[in-house]
Amino acid sequence: MKNKWRILKILVTVILFGFLLSFSLKRFNNARMENVSINMNQGKTPVYFIDEKDIKDLVKQYNPTKKIGDVKIPELETKINENPFVDSANVFMNLNGNLNIDIKQRVPVFRLSKKGKDFYVDEKGVEFPISKNFSYPCMLVMGDVEASEYQELGRLIEKIDKDDFCKKYFIGIKKEKGGYNLLTSDGHFKVELGDLENIDFKVQGFKTFVEKYLVYQNPQKYKKVSVKYNNQIVTTLNPYFKDNDSMLRNAPKIEIVKTEEKPVQLLAATPVKTEATPEPKKEAKKADVKKESTKPKTTEKKSPPKKSTEKKKETSSKPSSDKKKKAKVIVE
């Protein structure tokens, strides 16, 4: 009998508890939703792509009656996650009947201009559009960058942002002919990186170039500084810089004159020796021939070798001028 009474008591308590629970749940579901709390989880760099008003409008769509029991929490959560500016979202209801929404927005690493379209790329390599309400200051990247390079390119930009030296010099990245170039703020030159391998070593090479050479020169002197080669820095001069213009034009001329003067002197010296030796013979002939009066004939015979020497000089000078013209084209 005692066991029966115990079982009966348990059954009665369970029924009463179930009745009270159903009654409280029904009352709770029919209650009006008092508050909607939206928490935008911000990191070190705050972003404002999403407005709280937009999220509240979504809540109204999924709860038109404003009752707690009519809120479709799973559907609302998936809808918020479909927003391209949202990295992750969590929607839940507390015991007080308040709806809580935690949202983490995407943070751009760089802005990519590709095939006439502009969009952001986050640290995960996900593309998302540019917002009309908010513009995030980040590195601008131009060129046909492949999606597989997004994360590696993001790591390069992260290193630039953390380094005060790089952050001062580099303002953009451009991909040209399969290689990357860093655009600088000081001067009109660009830094050629090549591929994205050994980035630390390449950036360190540019630092040494700036500290040892560029500090004492005008940055506009250079058009390009290449650090893509191993243990080597190659610079290209700016042809529109005034000092470079004189240097590019005068330096090759000096080298060409030095190499061309020697053969010209040799060609001019050989006929002089032949003319110097027969001079005594000419005087003797003149003494003997005075009686015969054949002076015009001797002059006619002597004139052709002089013309030949002049032709030799002319022919020797012509190739030098032609060579000078070719060298100018190569230098330019």
Side-chain angles (χ1 to χ4, degrees):
M1 292 291 293
K2 290 182 179 181
N3 292 331
K4 290 181 179 180
W5 280 106
R6 287 178 181 176
I7 294 170
L8 184 62
K9 287 179 181 179
I10 292 171
L11 289 172
V12 171
T13 53
V14 169
I15 292 169
L16 289 173
F17 181 77
F19 177 78
L20 292 173
L21 183 61
S22 63
F23 177 77
S24 60
L25 286 173
K26 187 177 180 180
R27 186 178 179 182
F28 180 77
N29 290 330
N30 290 328
R32 188 179 180 84
M33 189 171 58
E34 296 294 337
N35 191 17
V36 178
S37 177
I38 300 172
N39 183 21
M40 298 289 183
N41 296 324
Q42 301 285 2
K44 294 180 180 179
T45 53
V47 290
Y48 306 98
F49 292 114
I50 301 174
D51 192 2
E52 292 186 2
K53 183 182 178 181
D54 298 333
I55 303 299
K56 289 181 178 180
D57 292 339
L58 280 176
V59 173
K60 290 178 181 179
Q61 291 179 10
Y62 287 88
N63 186 17
T65 60
K66 296 183 180 181
K67 292 182 180 180
I68 294 175
D70 294 338
V71 179
K72 300 176 182 179
I73 292 178
E75 295 178 5
L76 178 61
E77 186 173 302
T78 54
K79 186 65 178 179
I80 295 173
N81 282 314
E82 288 176 0
N83 192 308
F85 301 109
V86 175
D87 186 20
S88 61
N90 185 22
V91 182
F92 61 95
M93 185 83 69
N94 59 12
L95 296 176
N96 295 326
N98 295 328
L99 185 67
N100 296 314
I101 302 174
D102 293 337
I103 297 175
K104 182 181 178 183
Q105 300 182 61
R106 296 190 186 278
V107 180
V109 177
F110 59 91
R111 178 172 176 170
L112 181 60
S113 179
K114 178 180 177 181
K115 296 180 180 179
K117 297 181 180 180
D118 290 353
F119 51 88
Y120 291 117
V121 178
D122 66 355
E123 59 182 2
K124 297 179 182 178
V126 179
E127 301 175 0
F128 60 100
I130 296 172
S131 175
K132 297 179 181 179
N133 302 323
F134 175 72
S135 179
Y136 185 80
C138 58
M139 184 75 74
L140 176 64
V141 181
M142 297 174 286
D144 190 9
V145 182
E146 297 180 1
S148 59
E149 298 175 318
Y150 286 168
Q151 290 187 345
E152 194 170 1
L153 189 61
R155 285 191 286 270
L156 168 62
I157 295 171
E158 187 178 357
K159 290 178 182 178
I160 292 174
D161 291 337
K162 289 181 179 179
D163 192 345
D164 294 335
F165 176 86
C166 295
K167 195 173 182 180
K168 174 186 174 183
Y169 268 93
F170 304 137
I171 59 172
I173 301 174
K174 188 175 183 180
K175 187 177 182 181
E176 296 176 315
K177 299 178 182 180
Y180 286 93
N181 296 319
L182 296 175
L183 306 179
T184 57
S185 59
D186 191 4
H188 300 281
F189 66 92
K190 59 184 177 181
V191 180
E192 187 180 22
L193 288 178
D195 53 25
L196 295 175
E197 297 179 357
N198 300 323
I199 292 298
D200 294 334
F201 183 74
K202 292 175 181 179
V203 173
Q204 186 61 36
F206 178 71
K207 282 185 180 181
T208 55
F209 171 76
V210 171
E211 292 172 356
K212 293 184 179 180
Y213 299 99
L214 196 62
V215 174
Y216 308 103
Q217 298 175 358
N218 191 333
Q220 296 182 3
K221 178 180 179 180
Y222 297 101
K223 181 181 178 182
K224 183 173 68 175
V225 178
S226 179
V227 293
K228 70 177 183 179
Y229 306 102
N230 292 330
N231 299 323
Q232 192 176 14
I233 297 174
V234 181
T235 60
T236 304
L237 295 177
N238 182 9
Y240 299 103
F241 189 61
K242 291 183 179 180
D243 296 340
N244 291 342
D245 185 49
S246 60
M247 185 167 61
L248 288 170
R249 296 194 178 193
N250 295 332
K253 288 182 181 179
I254 295 169
E255 292 179 0
I256 292 168
V257 170
K258 286 181 180 178
T259 55
E260 293 295 330
E261 274 182 356
K262 291 181 180 179
V264 171
Q265 288 177 358
L266 290 172
L267 290 171
T270 50
V272 173
K273 289 181 181 179
T274 56
E275 289 177 359
T277 51
E279 277 180 1
K281 291 181 182 180
K282 289 175 184 178
E283 291 175 0
K285 285 181 181 179
K286 286 177 183 178
D288 296 335
V289 180
K290 279 180 182 180
K291 296 177 181 180
E292 297 177 358
S293 67
T294 56
K295 290 181 181 179
K297 294 181 180 178
T298 55
T299 55
E300 289 176 0
K301 290 180 181 179
K302 290 177 182 178
S303 57
K306 289 181 180 179
K307 290 180 180 179
S308 64
T309 55
E310 290 175 358
K311 288 180 180 179
K312 287 181 181 179
K313 290 180 181 179
E314 290 175 359
T315 54
S316 62
S317 62
K318 284 179 181 178
S320 64
S321 62
D322 294 335
K323 289 180 182 177
K324 288 179 183 178
K325 291 179 181 177
K326 291 180 181 177
K328 288 180 182 177
V329 175
I330 293 167
V331 170
E332 289 173 1

